[in-house]
Amino acid sequence: MPVTTTLPSDLASWMGTIQTRVEAALSRGMPAADRVPARLHHAMRYAVLEGGKRVRPLLAFAAGEVVNAPPERLDAVSCALEFIHAYSLVHDDMPCMDNDVLRRGKPTVHVEFDEATALLVGDSLQTLAFEVLSHPRLCENPGVQLDMLSTLAIASGTRGMAGGQAIDLAATGVTLTLPELEFMHIHKTGALIRAAVKLGGLSGERADPSVMHALDQYAKHIGLAFQVVDDCLDAEGTTATLGKTAGKDAVQGKSTYVSLLGLSRAKALAEELRQSAHDVLQPLGARAARLGALADFVVRRQF
Amino acid sequence: MPVTTTLPSDLASWMGTIQTRVEAALSRGMPAADRVPARLHHAMRYAVLEGGKRVRPLLAFAAGEVVNAPPERLDAVSCALEFIHAYSLVHDDMPCMDNDVLRRGKPTVHVEFDEATALLVGDSLQTLAFEVLSHPRLCENPGVQLDMLSTLAIASGTRGMAGGQAIDLAATGVTLTLPELEFMHIHKTGALIRAAVKLGGLSGERADPSVMHALDQYAKHIGLAFQVVDDCLDAEGTTATLGKTAGKDAVQGKSTYVSLLGLSRAKALAEELRQSAHDVLQPLGARAARLGALADFVVRRQF
């Protein structure tokens, strides 16, 4: 797999613009840190702000370009996605789950605050995701908005992210087959990435079914690629470059693409998935260029 | 306060009918216990089914009578309310929060299963609440359905239930003033009870503002009365009659209406709130009779 450490300058610039925009939307979308209950609000902001690549918002904005979605609506969609993602990280890091102390280069929420606060932070961020997405007049067509809410809920629940987490939990110390590993990741990380692309597509309010289908195929490839690359980085990276504890999959006895395939076959799989993602975008033409560039980024990133 | 141990027979019969109906809806509304991830689904069903008075669904159905709401829609609303309520109980009982071992006469979820499962059960039940309420065609008017979702999210988040929980956490071992105690309860339990009545009212799809206002005033009185009575029952009851650990407020050094007012003044306050609830229902006439009867039940219950 060819590895580039620098991004194409137009992608880097676009990513920077969206990341800055989303950071501002996230900050506006959460209660101020001095508002009662202040400790909880402070901890929510700590968990969400100044960290993360914002991959899901980037995917939503890029999918939104395909359907000419208004950026204000994509801001709300991005907040909902990141609040769900952040809630899952906060809870996954807790002592009764992965018991991790470092996330995005900072102490995890239960370390910086306390366990009870971390529990409430996760709970409240999940609620806030649905609050921001149910805001009156977010969409011109309230039926589309309901579809967004339903999509996010299904992707986050036991048929999606939380279900994947439960499967992951049950699989610790057990060697999975490749199909079992894929099944877990399709749920644990794939479902929310797929939702990110779909929500971006729905933000245009009148996307045609063939476009939505192409977006969904793209999202499936990218979701899996994202996890394969994560496994490679976890095996190769250092805590400093990752901003989270490196090598913990091996320590926890978790099956990964690297443990099942070896590093070089895992990298080849990621590259295949990147190519498949480009292939399904083909019929969408130039308006999907950003999604293609993001596929390259997801597979070739170093962190 | 006059105490009746038996309910008026028509109220008891109506409550039984609704409770049976809601139990069936809750069971249908959750994934089967043998569906992957089976342990999580099994634990979710354990947390929700066969327990609880279903006070929030009863309030939603009674408010629904005022506006001629279809019972199928009230089933969905009841599921959403009970999933949120059950999630909050599962998380509140965890070791990092109240560390309780008994709930509804059964071992709490983290005792019966494990902490990681309890965490995921709460997370997944919250998600499921928003999933059931975002179901396509639940309402004829999708704008009303969005209003329901927004109401539930705001009532559950840091401006509602989770915020109240955070305030409660910070107040353990601290003597609160009566206004501080009221502020906490308006959030911790009051917000979701108020949402229950509002969702019942919205289920009619075209409730007029004066009706919605009367319902909301009623819900405020009942929400507070519910907590005052809970405090009285905790002080007087036994673990056997309550189905949860009795006397734990005093053990944990929590301020309650009983600790601040004494038992007899707390009972008098509950009776006052019951009367106020009846007063605000007056303009709604006979169609609000069930809400009136529920006010009596909430204040005069023994469990």
Side-chain angles (χ1 to χ4, degrees), chain B residues 29-292:
Chain B
M30 284 185 288
D34 59 357
R35 186 168 163 178
V36 174
R39 186 177 169 84
L40 176 56
H41 288 144
H42 179 52
M44 287 167 73
R45 301 181 71 87
Y46 176 87
V48 170
L49 298 176
E50 293 164 42
K53 297 175 285 293
R54 312 301 182 201
V55 168
R56 291 151 196 82
L58 289 168
L59 286 167
F61 268 89
E65 282 195 2
V66 176
V67 295
N68 282 316
E72 296 72 24
R73 195 172 296 148
L74 293 166
D75 285 343
V77 159
S78 295
C79 285
L81 290 163
E82 282 297 286
F83 292 153
I84 292 285
H85 178 53
Y87 120 65
S88 77
L89 298 181
V90 172
H91 280 183
D92 287 4
D93 286 338
M94 285 180 68
C96 68
M97 301 287 281
D98 283 357
N99 194 19
D100 216 328
V101 296
L102 195 65
R103 168 74 67 183
R104 293 172 173 174
K106 302 188 293 187
T108 47
V109 176
H110 69 273
V111 170
E112 183 72 14
F113 296 84
D114 55 76
E115 275 187 61
T117 300
L119 183 59
L120 287 174
V121 163
D123 290 346
S124 302
L125 286 174
Q126 175 170 197
T127 317
L128 195 54
F130 290 104
E131 184 184 332
V132 71
L133 215 50
S134 61
H135 197 274
R137 293 176 299 283
L138 175 64
C139 294
E140 283 166 45
N141 181 340
V144 170
Q145 197 174 336
L146 283 176
D147 194 0
M148 286 183 176
L149 281 154
S150 175
T151 297
L152 186 69
I154 292 169
S156 307
T158 66
R159 282 179 284 167
M161 187 183 75
Q165 185 63 28
I167 296 166
D168 189 18
L169 207 61
T172 300
V174 177
T175 301
L176 299 180
T177 64
L178 200 58
E180 286 169 343
L181 184 69
E182 187 168 310
F183 182 86
M184 177 185 84
H185 287 310
I186 284 173
H187 291 78
K188 192 181 169 190
T189 53
L192 194 60
I193 284 178
R194 214 167 142 192
V197 173
K198 184 173 173 184
L199 291 182
L202 285 173
S203 294
E205 292 217 43
R206 50 186 67 78
D208 77 62
S210 71
V211 171
M212 292 305 286
H213 180 71
L215 289 177
D216 193 45
Q217 294 301 107
Y218 166 84
K220 279 194 209 174
H221 295 310
I222 281 305
L224 213 47
F226 187 82
Q227 191 57 50
V228 176
V229 173
D230 243 24
D231 287 353
C232 294
L233 291 171
D234 183 76
E236 286 190 309
T238 67
T239 300
T241 56
L242 294 178
K244 58 185 177 183
T245 312
K248 69 176 180 174
D249 293 336
V251 171
Q252 294 180 342
K254 286 191 176 178
S255 299
T256 70
Y257 285 98
V258 174
S259 74
L260 293 189
L261 295 175
L263 192 57
S264 78
R265 278 179 63 206
K267 287 185 176 181
L269 173 60
E271 181 59 23
E272 257 173 56
L273 289 163
R274 188 188 72 79
Q275 191 53 55
S276 302
H278 278 280
D279 292 346
V280 295
L281 291 178
Q282 205 66 44
L284 300 182
R287 59 188 171 159
R290 204 81 77 186
L291 285 172

Side-chain angles (χ1 to χ4, degrees), chain A residues 16-29:
Chain A
T17 304
I18 301 298
Q19 284 160 338
T20 303
R21 181 182 177 102
V22 168
E23 192 74 12
L26 291 168
S27 181
R28 280 196 312 274

Side-chain angles (χ1 to χ4, degrees), chain A residues 170-299:
Chain A
T172 300
V174 176
T175 301
L176 299 181
T177 64
L178 200 58
E180 286 169 341
L181 184 69
E182 187 168 308
F183 182 85
M184 177 185 85
H185 287 311
I186 284 172
H187 290 79
K188 191 180 169 190
T189 53
L192 195 60
I193 284 178
R194 214 167 143 194
V197 174
K198 183 172 175 186
L199 291 182
L202 286 173
S203 294
E205 292 217 42
R206 51 187 68 79
D208 77 62
S210 71
V211 171
M212 293 305 287
H213 180 71
L215 289 177
D216 194 45
Q217 293 301 107
Y218 165 86
K220 279 193 208 176
H221 296 310
I222 281 304
L224 213 47
F226 187 82
Q227 190 57 50
V228 176
V229 173
D230 242 25
D231 286 354
C232 295
L233 291 171
D234 182 75
E236 286 192 310
T238 66
T239 300
T241 57
L242 295 178
K244 58 184 177 183
T245 312
K248 69 175 178 173
D249 293 334
V251 170
Q252 296 181 340
K254 286 190 177 181
S255 298
T256 71
Y257 286 97
V258 174
S259 73
L260 294 189
L261 295 176
L263 192 57
S264 78
R265 279 179 63 207
K267 285 184 178 182
L269 173 60
E271 181 58 23
E272 257 174 56
L273 289 164
R274 188 189 70 80
Q275 192 52 56
S276 302
H278 278 280
D279 292 347
V280 297
L281 291 178
Q282 206 66 44
L284 300 182
R287 59 188 170 157
R290 202 80 77 186
L291 284 172
L294 277 180
D296 301 341
F297 165 71
V298 161
V299 171

Side-chain angles (χ1 to χ4, degrees), chain B residues 284-299:
Chain B
L284 300 182
R287 59 188 171 159
R290 204 81 77 186
L291 285 172
L294 277 180
D296 300 342
F297 165 71
V298 161
V299 171

